[in-house]
Amino acid sequence: MVRLNSSFLNILNFNGTHFILNLKPTNHFNLKFTPIGGVGQIGGNCGLFETENLILIIDAGVLFPRAEHYGVHLASPTFSEIKKNKSVELILTHAHEDHIGALLQLLKHFPNIPIHVGEFCLLVLRRKFPKINLNIKTILKNGESFSIDEFSITPIIVPHSIPETFGIFLSYKNSGHLYISDFKYSPLFDKSFAHIKQAYSEKKVRYFYCDSTNILNPHENKSEQDVIDAIEKVLLSSEKNVFITFFPSNLERFCGILKICIKHHKTLFTLGRSVIEFAKNALEFGMLDQYEFDFINDDTEIQPINSVILVTGSQGDFFGGLRRLVDNESSKVKIKPNDKFIYSAKMIPGNEMKVMSLLNKLAHQKIDIFLPGSDTFHVSGHASFPEVKKVVTIVDPNFFVPIHGETVFLKKSQEKISNEFPKLNLVSVENGCSTLIKEEIYEVIEKEKGLSLLDFYDDNGNLVDQNTLRQRKKMALTGHILVCYRRSNLQSLRIETMGIVQSSKIDYEFLKNKIFNKLKNSDHNHQELNTYIRQYFLDTIGHKPVVGIYEIN
Ligand SMILES: [Zn+2]
């Protein structure tokens, strides 16, 4: 589908076909924007701004694997596609995993890449990768501009759910680009925006790349203080232990809980390492200066009584604190009937079933469970639609680019914003597609780069390819039949099965005799035997397992 209007030409992907627009060579090449992650998916955030001499990367995040990614623990953008014939530099906006988690993969391709990062994010990186030498070029400060090649760059602090989240204002020739992949609205936004308001408004072409994660929410977010008030109410109503699971990177919530524990003389315990790791970051960052603070060793024999216990693993992670608590695998901390449990987080799409099965187990144990919805036990770090609307009014762009969200969120964001701001130009972007930015825009669909999938057990960063993934999926869904024999002694023939329900319909003696007879005929090759065995299972149990036939010497 090709849509034309006076201000821009837009070529969209239609029925899965990629249209390629060959741009004529021009002496006026301005700027190209290519997201290689974070668009059409939640996670893996990575946007490239490319000029003649430079590729400026904003963020290098991971994506948590989907159900079809068997044996994959992390997915990252495909950095190998980034051209190596230009300077490449990196800006990290904040310390969430979906913005920094793929840094090691990026460093494999660009080992000495100059990094521009805020102080808090740098603390997190140093704790996360203590042995990696990072080439830190700029420490980002709210409203302080610096230059890279022809870009003038001004970071501004925006409200989110982790300290020091930056929106990035890129000034390039007569265009201004405000890139804020994660934010919510609070009056802090107006204060920060004041740093760039004049410079941005003077630009003829003004792009706003905007978070779409929470666009379906029609209500303004409540505040973190509302969450702390709701938690405090539960604390006051109980003489029992109160367990709280939350995102440990949300240090505003951590500090709020700490405050009410001090106020009501409760001891705070933690289950799971990441709470302590982030608390140490908070301490070093000066967020806990007002408290006398001591980390007591993990080996303490103190048992929590009438206490608050912060639990990691709110997404049902296999090695998280919540799973260990529910499965009674922690020798130190036990949850008992009538204890209270607060789920102070959001179930990230795709994790709902994992989390719900853990909550079901807690309900069976007669634990008092409090979920968001019954009261304000969680608020999002992402702007709802009324907040996006407010921010678009403040920023006053002439091009609006939804990023950071599933495809549905991006489309809804365009739909809702175009209803409110009919004169605003809407720009669709896709992972791996470049948008050439001039005074008008041309959108160019390039090849889909896809994700890089990292194997759960491979520390060397080898990727899981699509063929391996297909084999894993087949084995997981259909089971595995193993046939071994010695040519010199066919009586040694053995059949082993894995992941096959032992249906009474399967006659292994019959199958073994058939295989034996076929092997006696030396013309019979493994391929034909494989086909025969798969057909036998299809006829008896209705599906074909993966078959492996091995001749042992
Ligand atoms: Zn974030």
Side-chain angles (χ1 to χ4, degrees):
M1 178 172 57
V2 178
R3 183 156 58 96
L4 276 162
N5 71 21
S6 58
S7 62
F8 64 93
L9 167 65
N10 193 1
I11 297 196
L12 298 172
N13 180 353
F14 181 62
N15 282 349
T17 309
H18 285 175
F19 286 85
I20 297 177
L21 175 66
N22 289 317
L23 293 162
K24 287 181 191 150
T26 166
N27 294 326
H28 305 291
F29 176 83
N30 275 12
L31 178 63
K32 202 159 86 167
F33 172 65
T34 313
I36 59 168
V39 175
Q41 66 200 43
I42 301 265
N45 292 289
C46 187
L48 315 182
F49 285 89
E50 182 177 348
T51 65
E52 245 172 327
N53 312 312
L54 174 76
I55 299 175
L56 186 58
I57 305 176
I58 302 192
D59 290 329
V62 284
L63 176 77
F64 296 102
R66 302 195 182 214
E68 67 269 24
H69 296 150
Y70 292 86
V72 170
H73 75 302
L74 287 177
S76 90
T78 301
F79 298 118
S80 56
E81 300 282 345
I82 300 175
K83 290 176 210 149
K84 295 210 163 65
N85 60 349
K86 299 185 179 187
S87 306
V88 179
E89 305 212 4
L90 172 68
I91 296 178
L92 295 172
T93 59
H94 65 291
H96 275 150
E97 281 295 297
D98 60 334
H99 292 259
I100 60 165
L103 181 59
L104 287 189
Q105 282 68 45
L106 180 67
L107 289 175
K108 280 190 183 132
H109 297 279
F110 301 97
N112 202 31
I113 186 170
I115 301 173
H116 312 265
V117 61
E119 196 184 336
F120 179 78
C121 186
L122 185 57
L123 279 177
V124 173
L125 291 176
R126 296 228 195 272
R127 208 175 288 284
K128 196 174 159 68
F129 309 121
K131 291 183 184 154
I132 305 286
N133 265 335
L134 300 171
N135 177 13
I136 304 300
K137 203 166 162 193
T138 314
I139 297 293
L140 305 181
K141 301 257 187 240
N142 192 19
E144 284 188 14
S145 304
F146 59 99
S147 298
I148 307 177
D149 197 51
E150 290 178 272
F151 285 110
S152 166
I153 297 165
T154 316
I156 55 167
I157 285 193
V158 293
H160 185 39
S161 50
I162 190 166
E164 257 202 347
T165 299
F166 287 101
I168 305 295
F169 171 51
L170 302 174
S171 169
Y172 183 80
K173 298 184 178 172
N174 64 351
S175 68
H177 302 263
L178 182 57
Y179 185 97
I180 321 183
S181 64
D182 294 37
F183 74 97
K184 60 181 177 181
Y185 179 76
S186 82
L188 170 66
F189 185 92
D190 304 61
K191 269 195 199 163
S192 293
F193 185 69
H195 290 292
I196 58 165
K197 188 174 174 148
Q198 190 176 349
Y200 185 78
S201 63
E202 282 169 357
K203 297 290 181 186
K204 190 170 176 190
V205 176
R206 300 182 304 280
Y207 274 69
F208 178 34
Y209 306 74
C210 177
D211 187 353
S212 314
T213 316
N214 196 18
I215 200 73
L216 300 183
N217 181 358
H219 307 293
E220 288 203 17
N221 280 313
K222 292 197 174 176
S223 71
E224 274 297 326
Q225 189 53 50
D226 291 317
V227 176
I228 299 305
D229 291 346
I231 292 175
E232 188 174 18
K233 253 196 258 169
V234 177
L235 242 65
L236 288 175
S237 69
S238 176
E239 295 285 297
K240 299 275 184 177
N241 285 331
V242 177
F243 293 78
I244 306 170
T245 190
F246 75 126
F247 295 114
S249 59
N250 189 335
L251 287 173
E252 198 180 345
R253 194 163 305 170
F254 173 80
C255 289
I257 295 170
L258 196 61
K259 250 184 214 168
I260 54 174
C261 285
I262 291 167
K263 185 173 158 193
H264 302 295
H265 311 290
K266 304 259 183 189
T267 312
L268 190 66
F269 288 79
T270 63
L271 177 59
R273 233 184 36 209
S274 52
V275 181
I276 291 294
E277 295 295 302
F278 270 104
K280 284 179 180 168
N281 289 328
L283 192 62
E284 221 171 310
F285 194 54
M287 289 180 77
L288 305 175
D289 285 353
Q290 52 185 307
Y291 308 108
E292 287 277 321
F293 212 82
D294 215 357
F295 292 104
I296 301 174
N297 193 317
D298 214 16
D299 296 332
T300 175
E301 289 304 319
I302 305 168
Q303 290 292 323
I305 301 163
N306 192 9
S307 301
V308 173
I309 302 101
L310 297 178
V311 183
T312 62
S314 64
Q315 300 307 305
D317 328 32
F318 286 107
F319 303 108
L322 178 56
R323 190 169 287 274
R324 281 191 282 139
L325 178 75
V326 172
D327 292 341
N328 201 16
E329 283 172 4
S330 165
S331 56
K332 306 281 176 205
V333 184
K334 307 280 180 200
I335 192 161
K336 301 189 190 79
N338 303 322
D339 280 348
K340 297 188 187 287
F341 175 85
I342 303 174
Y343 191 83
S344 180
K346 176 190 159 67
M347 293 177 208
I348 293 173
N351 292 337
E352 295 92 339
M353 280 168 74
K354 263 197 297 182
V355 176
M356 202 41 83
S357 76
L358 295 178
L359 296 183
N360 285 341
K361 286 185 186 174
L362 285 177
H364 273 298
Q365 293 175 43
K366 300 196 167 34
I367 309 300
D368 239 349
I369 299 173
F370 299 84
L371 298 171
S374 58
D375 207 338
T376 311
F377 291 113
H378 178 66
V379 289
S380 171
H382 297 273
S384 63
F385 173 58
E387 294 170 60
V388 171
K389 206 167 91 182
K390 201 179 277 182
V391 167
V392 171
T393 308
I394 296 166
V395 172
D396 187 27
N398 47 23
F399 290 92
F400 180 78
V401 192
I403 52 170
H404 202 288
E406 303 284 351
T407 308
V408 177
F409 303 164
L410 305 179
K411 299 284 174 212
K412 284 286 166 201
S413 177
Q414 286 199 330
E415 214 176 281
K416 286 164 173 276
I417 288 296
S418 73
N419 287 340
E420 295 291 330
F421 304 92
K423 288 188 182 154
L424 195 53
N425 293 302
L426 303 173
V427 182
S428 303
V429 291
E430 285 181 47
N431 281 345
C433 304
S434 300
T435 302
L436 187 71
I437 296 160
K438 300 178 76 172
E439 283 184 20
E440 67 276 50
I441 72 156
Y442 298 85
E443 188 166 314
V444 186
I445 306 292
E446 291 185 338
K447 67 175 178 167
E448 189 65 53
K449 293 179 178 73
L451 288 167
S452 296
L453 305 175
L454 306 176
D455 187 79
F456 196 87
Y457 294 107
D458 187 307
D459 293 335
N460 299 319
N462 294 314
L463 301 180
V464 180
D465 61 27
Q466 287 305 318
N467 194 33
T468 308
L469 209 57
R470 266 196 298 276
Q471 287 169 354
R472 286 180 179 180
K473 184 177 173 183
K474 266 190 135 180
M475 283 196 274
L477 294 177
T478 64
H480 193 187
I481 307 283
L482 198 61
V483 176
C484 298
Y485 69 96
R486 250 181 238 284
R487 172 70 54 198
S488 56
N489 176 15
L490 282 183
Q491 294 297 343
S492 64
L493 174 69
R494 283 180 63 192
I495 301 176
E496 297 286 339
T497 68
M498 281 178 273
I500 306 264
V501 173
Q502 296 305 311
S503 163
S504 58
K505 292 180 191 163
I506 304 170
D507 185 343
Y508 283 102
E509 264 320 296
F510 168 81
L511 185 64
K512 197 171 166 184
N513 281 332
K514 280 281 184 193
I515 297 171
F516 183 86
N517 289 329
K518 284 179 188 296
L519 286 172
K520 263 204 322 198
N521 174 1
S522 54
D523 289 347
H524 219 88
N525 65 38
H526 281 186
Q527 188 53 45
E528 286 172 32
L529 196 54
N530 189 311
T531 307
Y532 170 78
I533 297 169
R534 281 158 54 79
Q535 189 61 43
Y536 171 81
F537 278 92
L538 180 66
D539 294 341
T540 50
I541 58 171
H543 69 262
K544 299 180 199 173
V546 174
V547 176
I549 302 169
Y550 302 96
E551 180 178 344
I552 304 164
N553 294 319

